[in-house]
Structures are given as C-alpha cells and as structure tokens.
Amino acid sequence: MDESADQTLSGWRLQGRRVLVTGGSRGLGEAIVKRLVAEGCTLAVCARGVGQLQQLAERIEQRGRTPVFTRALDVAAPELLEDFVGDAAARLGGLDGVVACAGGASGRGLEGASAQDWMRTWELNAGHAARLLAASAPHLRAAGGGSAVIVASISGWKPGPQAQYGAAKAAQIHLAASLARELGADDIRVNAVSPGSMLIPGKRWDRMRQEDPGAYAAFTREVPSGELVRPEEVAAVVTFLLSDQASGISGANIPVDRAQNSPTPQGY
C-alpha cells in the first residue's frame, strides 16, 4: 500500500465505520479500499481473485490496520453475494456503508453479442448492485441508516460501444435515483459515481499508451486537460459520499471524468 494510505486524508470522520466493498482487490476497487483504510474504516471486501484478495489483506495488516474480512466470489452468482453480505455484517458487527464497485462487460458489438453476453453484463453491473443493496438494506437500517455508492460509468449516458455495457451502467444510475427514494425514509442514502476512462496499470488505456502512443494521444484529446482521471480521484468522491459530510446528497449521479467527452476512441 502507498505511504499516503497511512494518513487520514480528509477528516471526514469515518473512523470505525463498517463498509463492504465489492470488486475491491484491484484497479478502482483497490483504490477505494486503500482510501477507506486510511480513513479508519473496518472493511469487508469481495472479488473473484483469491490471490489478489490475500495480498490486499496482507498489505493492510502489515500496516497495522484492522484485519479485513475477505471472500473470493463471483458477484453474479446466485446467493453467493447475499451470503457474503450476511457474513460480513456478522463479522463486522453491522454495516454502515456499501460500495458496489464490481462490474464488467461480456461480448462485443450488437451482432457479436449473444443473449448470454447481455445477461452476464447486466448481472455484473445492475443486477449485482440491486442484490447488494437488497441484502444490505436491513443491516444499514439496523445501524440507524447509512450510505450506498454504486460505481457506474460515463458510458451510462455518453454513448459508445458496447451497447450492453452502456445500458447496464445507465440502469445503475437509474437504480441509485430510484432506491434513494425507496430507502430514504430509513435514512439510507444511495448515490451513483460515474468515472471517466481511468489510467490503471495493465488495463486497456495503459496498454494503449504503451503499445500505440499515437492512438492514446488522440484519445486523451477527449479530455480537456489531456489527462485521464486517476482511480484515487474517484475513490476520494466515493469516500466523501460515504461520510456524514455528504448527508444531504442522495439519488445523485456524480461524474468524475475531468469533463471527458466520448468514453471510447470511437467518439459519439
């Protein structure tokens, strides 16, 4: 973990908050976990990779932080996510916040995507977020309220391939707005955060930067500053929304994209 994760960065008074994060072992999810650890949260984290989860937990514990409850699972698998929520709440003594960060896409363009690709993409994104909140709501309610953050994408309202991914992300944005009203009477806030294209080591845009610098330079012109958003910048917004400083924010979709235009090199 970065040395910066050893400091409380914001003073947002999250010390001791019990937070569950899906897809928290790498990329944006890892950045969110690091930030929440720095803020003093107690965490439960799930992801598909056993090894990556173990390494994450070891790095946190080596820094003298509270042990993290982890479990390897596919968030789209029936009942596994719900079981993890229940076990996490029991292990942490309740839940004060949840972050639906796991996601992804299956299939290619319209004619190359099967019905299974659409179903898989839906379950990884909107389906998993809905089931996470349904399973978490009783625990958040028992804690006197809480905050849920759904990690969507600018692809949810800025069109680009593949359609199944954009449609699932748009559903997540609507889900946050709808559930904010449904759960608001119990002081449960629900918001969406929509990251732009992020420069994550080893992922799509980092590979493009190394393998085709010209194409990468052309793509970064979609961002006025010429620089893609960093995962740490998105993690800071997620952390803020989990805090009491965001007590008046619910049902919102907050872009964190440096005013990016198209989410893909293909443009609108």
Side-chain angles (χ1 to χ4, degrees):
M1 297 181 65
D2 297 337
E3 291 298 328
S4 60
D6 281 338
Q7 303 296 322
T8 297
L9 303 177
S10 68
W12 285 337
R13 298 191 293 277
L14 284 167
Q15 185 74 35
R17 295 288 176 89
R18 302 157 299 182
V19 182
L20 184 154
V21 181
T22 68
S25 66
R26 59 194 177 108
L28 174 58
E30 182 182 11
I32 292 171
V33 167
K34 286 181 177 179
R35 183 64 187 252
L36 293 176
V37 167
E39 297 289 345
C41 294
T42 303
L43 298 181
V45 182
C46 70
R48 281 182 288 181
V50 176
Q52 291 172 324
L53 278 172
Q54 290 177 339
Q55 292 171 10
L56 178 69
E58 289 171 1
R59 288 196 300 271
I60 292 173
E61 292 177 22
Q62 286 171 358
R63 295 290 182 183
R65 303 293 185 176
T66 302
V68 178
F69 175 57
T70 64
R71 181 172 297 168
L73 60 90
D74 182 347
V75 296
E79 299 182 358
L80 294 183
L81 178 60
E82 289 85 342
D83 288 345
F84 176 66
V85 171
D87 292 344
R91 180 70 66 90
L92 273 55
L95 291 175
D96 302 298
V98 295
V99 181
C101 186
S106 180
R108 298 184 180 278
L110 180 62
E111 294 177 274
S114 66
Q116 289 74 24
D117 290 328
W118 278 83
M119 292 173 63
R120 174 69 176 170
T121 302
W122 174 269
E123 283 299 324
L124 281 173
N125 298 282
H128 128 257
R131 291 188 294 108
L132 173 64
L133 267 68
S136 301
H139 303 291
L140 297 173
R141 189 179 299 117
S147 176
V149 180
I150 300 172
V151 178
S153 168
I154 62 169
S155 295
W157 81 95
K158 296 181 179 182
Q162 279 74 33
Q164 61 270 30
Y165 180 72
K169 288 300 182 182
Q172 285 187 309
I173 294 169
H174 183 88
L175 186 68
S178 178
L179 294 184
R181 296 187 61 82
E182 183 173 342
L183 301 175
D186 293 317
D187 290 327
I188 299 173
R189 297 182 295 107
V190 187
N191 292 287
V193 170
S194 288
S197 301
M198 291 177 286
L199 191 60
I200 299 173
K203 302 298 282 185
R204 179 181 181 183
W205 308 121
D206 185 45
R207 293 197 304 270
M208 177 188 282
R209 181 179 61 170
Q210 297 180 47
E211 297 168 4
D212 193 344
Y216 178 77
F219 176 54
T220 58
R221 287 197 287 271
E222 296 290 342
V223 184
S225 68
E227 296 182 4
L228 302 186
V229 69
R230 293 180 291 108
E232 293 77 13
E233 294 174 308
V234 181
V237 176
V238 171
T239 304
F240 167 68
L241 289 173
L242 290 170
S243 78
D244 291 341
Q245 302 302 302
S247 60
I249 304 175
S250 192
N253 174 43
I254 301 179
V256 189
D257 61 5
R258 293 183 180 268
Q260 182 175 344
N261 184 36
S262 172
T264 68
Q266 288 83 4
Y268 283 141

